[in-house]
Amino acid sequence: MAQWLSDGFDGLQQWLFESLLQPLMFSMGWASFLEDGYAACGWLLVGLLQLGVIGLLIGPLQRLWPVEPVTDRATIRTDILYTLVHRLGLFRLGLFATVEPLADALFGALRVAGVSTFHLDGVWPGVSDVPWVSLLLYLLVLDFFGYWIHRAQHHFEWWWRLHSLHHAQRQMTMWSDSRNHLLDDLLRDALLVAVAQFIGVMPGQFIAIVAITQLSENLQHANLRLSFGRWGERLWISPRFHRLHHGIGIGHETTVPSVGAGASGAQPRVVPGGANFGVLLPWWDMLLRSANFDARYGPTGVRDQVEPGADGRLRDYGQGFWSQQWRGVLRLFGRT
């Protein structure tokens, strides 16, 4: 079955490339980029399949068991735009123009210097090089790095100023996964691509891992009252588990007692912290004591959207795509 699906996908990719993209690239004098064009067709097909799964599977689940009523369709339409930018390959074009040349130059220089990349699928010949085993190994390692990248997005103040756009969605749906500042996405993906190249992930396996991860994240962000149960939630991240990460005062913050609070009656302090940073697997949160399995479905967003800051105002994260991107840049430089 798996081989049949793989052959079918390869056939569609070949047809799309030879019928549409290859003639266009020849006509525009881009023959030297044919290999990249073939890979782009693969990403486009994966994106179209993902959109089909989102609309035909996750969408009906949202309508059957919603956490909250839909009250702000405009912000959902903006999230749909983010999803289309990522799944139809527009953001990947940006990666191709910026990150990939730098990564190729870096690893080329390492090879010239006699430093070779590490091939994880070669650690146990006969076992780790079996395709499905190597896929699981690579997925596990990349998910571990994804956990630490996510913690860094919350730990470093300058990075949080960008990443907070993702958390500012008060109306979370299956489209909210891709709602990120482009600079945030660029930095995260650059790190993941570098790790993937260093451990020897093949292009086809990398596409499969990204597809699995993105679809799981679409489900995690859905407006869906769904838990995987006591044991299931400890095997794979559920919508309930991830919604806690987006919860106001939960996912990004930790409340600690003030010094001498018992004597002075001082209020507890809110400091950076948070919970449920895992991307696919809750294992890293469990091992590193950042897991929160509370059985609740609270409101989502960032505290400064609902509690005025020192200036007495609520923070505005923007309404449309370009407004949100511009305000993210202003936050990065401390201008808003």
Side-chain angles (χ1 to χ4, degrees), residues 153 156-165 181 315 317 327-336:
Q153 288 171 313
F156 295 106
E157 174 62 25
W158 64 268
W159 205 345
W160 169 248
R161 292 176 184 178
L162 294 174
H163 186 62
S164 58
L165 170 61
H181 199 281
R315 188 182 296 279
Y317 285 85
R327 287 183 175 278
V329 173
L330 293 178
R331 284 195 306 278
L332 180 62
F333 291 100
R335 300 292 299 275
T336 181

Side-chain angles (χ1 to χ4, degrees), residues 150 153-154 163 166-167 172-173 176-177 180 216-222 224 226-228 233 236-248 250-251 275-280 282 285 292-294 296-300:
H150 195 182
Q153 288 171 313
H154 286 255
H163 186 62
H166 179 66
H167 282 259
M172 267 179 57
T173 69
S176 301
D177 165 49
N180 297 300
S216 181
E217 289 180 319
N218 286 121
L219 179 64
Q220 293 167 20
H221 289 84
L224 179 59
L226 178 64
S227 166
F228 294 162
E233 294 235 313
W236 201 266
I237 291 174
S238 71
R240 188 213 55 78
F241 184 89
H242 191 69
R243 188 178 180 90
L244 282 170
H245 175 68
H246 280 261
I248 300 172
I250 301 175
N276 300 7
F277 300 103
V279 180
L280 293 179
D285 282 301
N292 183 334
F293 288 101
D294 289 352
R296 52 175 161 163
Y297 298 84
T300 61

Side-chain angles (χ1 to χ4, degrees), residues 12-79:
L12 278 175
Q13 183 179 4
Q14 187 75 26
W15 174 83
L16 181 63
F17 176 69
E18 293 180 350
S19 302
L20 300 176
L21 190 56
Q22 184 174 255
L24 178 63
M25 294 182 72
F26 273 126
S27 67
M28 300 183 70
W30 293 352
S32 59
F33 297 105
L34 290 178
E35 184 177 347
D36 298 301
Y38 184 77
C41 286
W43 284 108
L44 176 60
L45 278 177
V46 166
L48 292 173
L49 290 172
Q50 288 177 318
L51 291 173
V53 172
I54 294 168
L56 297 175
L57 179 59
I58 305 178
L61 291 176
Q62 279 195 154
R63 291 188 288 273
L64 281 173
W65 301 297
V67 173
E68 58 189 359
V70 174
T71 58
D72 190 351
R73 296 191 180 276
T75 192
I76 295 174
R77 287 194 292 270
T78 301
D79 285 0

Side-chain angles (χ1 to χ4, degrees), residues 12 45 84-85 130-131 170 185 212 243 247 277:
L12 278 175
L45 278 177
L84 294 177
V85 165
V130 174
R170 305 295 309 281
D185 276 337
I212 292 169
R243 188 178 180 90
F277 300 103

Side-chain angles (χ1 to χ4, degrees), residues 13-316:
Q13 183 179 4
Q14 187 75 26
W15 174 83
L16 181 63
F17 176 69
E18 293 180 350
S19 302
L20 300 176
L21 190 56
Q22 184 174 255
L24 178 63
M25 294 182 72
F26 273 126
S27 67
M28 300 183 70
W30 293 352
S32 59
F33 297 105
L34 290 178
E35 184 177 347
D36 298 301
Y38 184 77
C41 286
W43 284 108
L44 176 60
L45 278 177
V46 166
L48 292 173
L49 290 172
Q50 288 177 318
L51 291 173
V53 172
I54 294 168
L56 297 175
L57 179 59
I58 305 178
L61 291 176
Q62 279 195 154
R63 291 188 288 273
L64 281 173
W65 301 297
V67 173
E68 58 189 359
V70 174
T71 58
D72 190 351
R73 296 191 180 276
T75 192
I76 295 174
R77 287 194 292 270
T78 301
D79 285 0
I80 293 174
L81 176 58
Y82 276 103
T83 302
L84 294 177
V85 165
H86 282 77
R87 304 304 165 85
L88 298 183
L90 299 178
F91 179 73
R92 193 147 297 278
L93 281 176
L95 286 180
F96 170 75
T98 56
V99 173
E100 290 195 19
L102 293 175
D104 291 342
L106 171 61
F107 286 101
L110 288 175
R111 285 191 290 270
V112 170
V115 179
S116 61
T117 55
F118 176 72
H119 289 272
L120 185 61
D121 59 1
V123 298
W124 191 355
V127 176
S128 59
D129 51 2
V130 174
W132 70 267
V133 175
S134 64
L135 179 65
L136 290 178
L137 285 174
Y138 287 131
L139 187 147
L140 192 67
V141 171
L142 289 175
D143 191 62
F144 176 70
F145 276 94
Y147 168 87
W148 283 109
I149 290 172
H150 195 182
R151 286 203 71 158
Q153 288 171 313
H154 286 255
H155 177 77
F156 295 106
E157 174 62 25
W158 64 268
W159 205 345
W160 169 248
R161 292 176 184 178
L162 294 174
H163 186 62
S164 58
L165 170 61
H166 179 66
H167 282 259
Q169 178 55 281
R170 305 295 309 281
Q171 186 82 79
M172 267 179 57
T173 69
M174 60 189 183
W175 304 106
S176 301
D177 165 49
S178 296
R179 174 198 166 103
N180 297 300
H181 199 281
L182 295 178
L183 292 176
D184 185 17
D185 276 337
L186 187 65
L187 180 54
R188 181 201 61 202
D189 286 6
L191 292 171
L192 286 174
V193 166
V195 171
Q197 289 200 19
F198 181 75
I199 63 176
V201 182
M202 297 296 291
Q205 290 175 316
F206 187 67
I207 291 176
I209 291 170
V210 170
I212 292 169
T213 301
Q214 288 178 333
L215 277 178
S216 181
E217 289 180 319
N218 286 121
L219 179 64
Q220 293 167 20
H221 289 84
N223 179 23
L224 179 59
R225 189 175 293 273
L226 178 64
S227 166
F228 294 162
R230 178 177 176 82
W231 298 111
E233 294 235 313
R234 286 157 176 79
L235 296 176
W236 201 266
I237 291 174
S238 71
R240 188 213 55 78
F241 184 89
H242 191 69
R243 188 178 180 90
L244 282 170
H245 175 68
H246 280 261
I248 300 172
I250 301 175
H252 174 62
E253 300 167 343
T254 300
T255 302
V256 298
S258 296
V259 177
S264 65
Q267 294 296 314
R269 293 179 298 118
V270 175
V271 299
N276 300 7
F277 300 103
V279 180
L280 293 179
L281 307 170
W283 307 348
W284 321 123
D285 282 301
M286 294 162 64
L287 287 170
L288 297 163
R289 300 180 182 276
S290 57
N292 183 334
F293 288 101
D294 289 352
R296 52 175 161 163
Y297 298 84
T300 61
V302 185
R303 185 184 294 273
D304 57 17
Q305 291 176 292
V306 296
E307 294 183 7
D311 58 2
R313 295 186 301 172
L314 299 176
R315 188 182 296 279
D316 181 7

